[in-house]
Structure formats: C-alpha cells, structure tokens
Amino acid sequence: MLGFVNILEEILVKETYHQIDELRPEIQPKVRVAEVVAYALNRLPPLFATSMSGWHYQYAYAVNELQPQISQLVRQGIKTVLFGDPLHDLTPLPNHLFTNSAGVLYQLSQILGRKHLRWRDVPVLVEAITTRSTYATKINNQTIIQSEEETVLQDASYLSRHTQALLSGSKRFREKRIAQQKEQELKQQSLCLYDASLCVIQGQVNYGSSSWALEKKVKDAAEMEYRALQSYTLQAQLGLVNVLDHLIFRAMEKIMKPELYNQINQAEVAAYALNRLPPMYATSDRGFKHLRQRAINEFARELVGAVRTGIMKVMQVAYTDVPPIYAYQFEKEYEQSMQVLRKLLNREDISLDNIVAIVQDLLLCKSA
C-alpha cells in the first residue's frame, strides 16, 4: 500500500533538474538524477505525509526551512556523481523492487506510450488492444470514442453492452481533457455572470471575482493531481527505492495479529516510523544490499520500536475525516482496474507480477 509519500522526493527532483540546466551542455547528460536525489535524501530529515493537510505542512516546512540545505546538498550530489568514485556500482536495482502498483503503472505507461497513465485508464486501453478498436471513455454521460487520429463524441448506446459495463466499472478521465472541459465550462459561466453583472446595481455581489476564484481553484486542483501522479510513480521513473519501506511493513506483519494488521491504517504507521528513522535510499543493487544489511545490523531495535509506537499512536486517533493524499485514490483505482481486467480477459490469475507481460503479449499479437 503506497498511501504515504516523502515530500522531499518531488522537491529534490525539481531542484536537481534546475541545477543541471545551469551546467555546460556537454556535462548535463553525465549527471544521473536518481543518484543526486538519493545523495540529498540520505542527508536530509525525512518528511513523510499521508494526508493532504500533512502534505501541505511538510511541503511548507521544506521550502521555508530547508531550501538552503536542499540547494547545497544537490550541488554536492552533482559533484559527487560527476567526480566521485570511478568504480561506483551502476548495476540497476532488480525489477522485483518495483513490482508494486506504482512501479507497474509506470511500466505500463512506457509500453502503452501514455505519459500520464492512471490505473483507471488501463482496462479501456487493454480492451482496445484486444478488439483492435478505438478506446472509449465516459465523461458527463457522453462517451468519447478516441482513436489515434481523432476524438468523436458518441451516445453511450453506440457501444456494446460489454463496453458499457466496462466503462461503468472503470471510468477513464484523462487529466488534460477534464481540465480543458472544466475550463470551458467556467469560461461560459464567467460570460453569463458578466452579462448578469451589467444589470445589477452597485453594492451587490461581485460575481466576476467569484468566478475567477472558482476557475483558479479548478486549475490548482488539476495541477495538484498531476503533481501527485508524478510523485506516485517517481521512484519507478528514477530507479530509486527507500530500503526501509519493505523492512517496516515486515515488522508490522510480525508485531501485529492478522486481524489488526488488516484493519489498521498501515500507511499512517509506516509514515510515523519512517519520519523517525534515518533515510536509506538506494539506486543500485549493491547499494541496496549494503543499506539493507546496515539497517538490520544497526537499526533493527530502533525500527521495531518506531513501528510499535506508531501502531499505538494510530490506534488512539481516528483518521476517517482526514482527506488522504492522492496516492490513496490511485491505490483504489488500481484495485478496481485489476478486477475489471480479470473479467475482461477472463483470467483470475492477473496480478502485478504478470500484467505487464500480458499487455506486452497483447501488443505483439496486435502488431502481428
């Protein structure tokens, strides 16, 4: 379950690209972004969050309090990558470390050629491959039939019953299209409100500014969702992992009884523990093994203690009214999409371990 995020990951990636752009063109390709980010992450305090309020708090703290340190560490990280140990291990991390919902989604986005792919997109795209047809998505009770060449609005009755059932179980909303559609609706509302304001007397509500505020709110929400999606798959994009993630979940499984483990907010426990342990990010196979062994040898007692305290803290507080980060929504989309895919392909064995290979095989059959 990926219901938590280290706010610093996104900030450090942005700062790294900013500083790379200032380097000479011939040097820029030599900088491995993942290594610079891992270098800085391992020297900064972890800032994990599970809720939107926590995200905003941690982000503000990082920008306001840690920015000088962030810039300095990224600068040092770039120098270390460029002029460090020539025998540095470049063996990438094994693929199984990214066999989670976020990592597999990124792999699917690569083979399907969809830059901003979400799990809710996958079933309709897979159906398009299996039927060699266009793919469809339902927006505001209208079905958009979209091929590689064009997008055409059709009534939902145009589709087969199977496709209608698929869409009702897995609605696909492409971020750009939704943003554009909402923006057009808001513009129309603004025009109507402006026309109406010409007829009202002075002292009434200022509809123009109200409409502008609403439009800005919609744009900000779309931008936030896009950033959240990028952050969700960031580790898979870079080839970067936090060694402690897996160890913390293993500790939770051993400490808690199965019924409690399934009921408790695991993301909250993990975030609590991770914020109290030294960060251990790795970008290579040797680095991962080294840090993992170090965590077991030097921090095992501290790790178990942080997990136990986290469990007690989470059990004492109710989180039902706290809006979670977008990753929680992405996880729900993953669960729903896997159910749809199993029905669509009539295969109950579909899982994160084989869905990429299945889609690759479907693409090969289509191109044959």
Side-chain angles (χ1 to χ4, degrees):
M1 180 180 181
L2 302 176
F4 56 89
V5 63
N6 187 351
I7 308 304
L8 287 171
E9 293 177 12
E10 175 192 351
I11 294 174
L12 285 168
V13 168
K14 184 178 179 180
E15 178 66 23
T16 300
Y17 278 115
H18 174 71
Q19 292 197 23
I20 289 175
D21 287 341
E22 296 177 346
L23 299 174
R24 297 198 306 272
E26 64 272 19
I27 296 179
Q28 293 179 5
K30 299 179 182 180
V31 180
R32 291 192 66 210
V33 175
E35 292 189 6
V36 176
V37 172
Y39 177 93
L41 283 170
N42 287 339
R43 289 161 178 81
L44 287 167
L47 297 178
F48 285 88
T50 60
S51 66
M52 292 307 300
S53 58
W55 188 97
H56 287 294
Y57 176 85
Q58 299 281 51
Y59 190 88
Y61 174 78
V63 172
N64 296 329
E65 303 294 334
L66 299 179
Q67 190 57 52
Q69 195 176 353
I70 288 171
S71 299
Q72 182 182 4
L73 284 171
V74 169
R75 195 173 299 110
Q76 292 174 358
I78 291 174
K79 290 181 181 179
T80 301
V81 170
L82 289 175
F83 309 111
D85 183 5
L87 299 178
H88 176 67
D89 181 31
L90 297 178
T91 306
L93 292 164
N95 290 333
H96 72 82
L97 294 177
F98 301 103
T99 308
N100 51 41
S101 54
V104 171
L105 179 63
Y106 175 69
Q107 294 177 56
L108 289 172
S109 72
Q110 296 298 104
I111 64 176
L112 291 170
R114 301 287 171 179
K115 187 176 180 181
H116 306 306
L117 184 71
R118 289 176 61 161
W119 273 109
R120 65 188 180 192
D121 302 339
V122 175
V124 181
L125 291 172
V126 169
E127 188 195 32
I129 297 171
T130 57
T131 59
R132 300 190 180 189
S133 65
T134 56
Y135 61 85
T137 179
K138 192 174 182 183
I139 296 180
N140 292 340
N141 295 323
Q142 282 186 308
T143 300
I144 297 176
I145 308 297
Q146 184 166 348
S147 65
E148 295 179 356
E149 295 83 15
E150 61 181 353
T151 299
V152 182
L153 288 175
Q154 295 283 355
D155 186 83
S157 60
Y158 174 83
L159 299 174
S160 65
R161 289 185 178 179
H162 175 73
T163 306
Q164 291 182 43
L166 178 67
L167 289 173
S168 64
S170 175
K171 297 180 181 179
R172 182 181 184 274
F173 295 93
R174 299 184 67 194
E175 281 73 15
K176 284 188 177 181
R177 183 159 187 86
I178 289 180
Q180 290 172 356
Q181 189 174 32
K182 287 184 177 179
E183 193 171 346
Q184 286 203 341
E185 290 175 357
L186 286 168
K187 284 181 179 179
Q188 290 176 355
Q189 292 175 9
S190 299
L191 288 174
C192 293
L193 290 169
Y194 175 74
D195 291 339
S197 66
L198 295 176
C199 303
V200 298
I201 60 174
Q202 190 175 18
Q204 288 184 311
V205 178
N206 188 338
Y207 290 106
S209 62
S210 176
S211 177
W212 176 86
L214 180 60
E215 183 175 356
K216 184 178 184 302
K217 187 176 181 180
V218 171
K219 287 184 177 179
D220 290 346
E223 174 64 20
M224 185 66 195
E225 193 166 352
Y226 165 76
R227 287 172 59 187
L229 181 61
Q230 291 296 100
S231 179
Y232 181 66
T233 59
L234 187 60
Q235 290 192 11
Q237 292 179 47
L238 296 178
L240 170 79
V241 296
N242 186 356
V243 174
L244 293 179
D245 286 359
H246 180 65
L247 294 177
I248 283 176
F249 278 95
R250 282 191 62 187
M252 278 194 277
E253 288 180 347
K254 290 185 177 181
I255 293 171
M256 291 185 281
K257 293 181 179 179
E259 54 271 20
L260 176 59
Y261 180 79
N262 293 327
Q263 292 176 4
I264 200 168
N265 191 324
Q266 299 170 18
E268 288 286 351
V269 177
Y272 179 92
L274 287 167
N275 279 334
R276 287 154 181 82
L277 294 168
M280 292 187 173
Y281 284 84
T283 60
S284 68
D285 186 41
R286 186 170 70 183
F288 177 86
K289 292 176 181 177
H290 169 73
L291 288 177
R292 188 176 185 278
Q293 195 60 47
R294 182 186 168 202
I296 294 172
N297 294 340
E298 299 180 21
F299 300 104
R301 182 175 298 179
E302 189 176 353
L303 187 148
V304 172
V307 170
R308 287 186 183 276
T309 306
I311 293 170
M312 290 187 290
K313 294 284 186 181
V314 171
M315 290 176 65
Q316 294 170 0
V317 181
Y319 295 91
T320 53
D321 297 329
V322 180
I325 57 174
Y326 279 99
Y328 181 82
Q329 179 182 339
F330 300 151
E331 288 293 295
K332 291 296 182 183
E333 291 178 10
Y334 151 68
E335 294 170 3
Q336 294 169 0
S337 295
M338 292 300 282
Q339 293 177 4
V340 175
L341 286 168
R342 293 185 185 110
K343 292 179 181 178
L344 174 65
L345 300 177
N346 195 26
R347 290 186 57 169
E348 290 299 323
D349 66 325
I350 292 179
S351 66
L352 290 173
D353 294 318
N354 60 17
I355 184 59
V356 173
I358 289 172
V359 173
Q360 285 176 326
D361 290 343
L362 290 173
L363 288 170
L364 286 174
C365 292
K366 180 180 178 181
S367 60

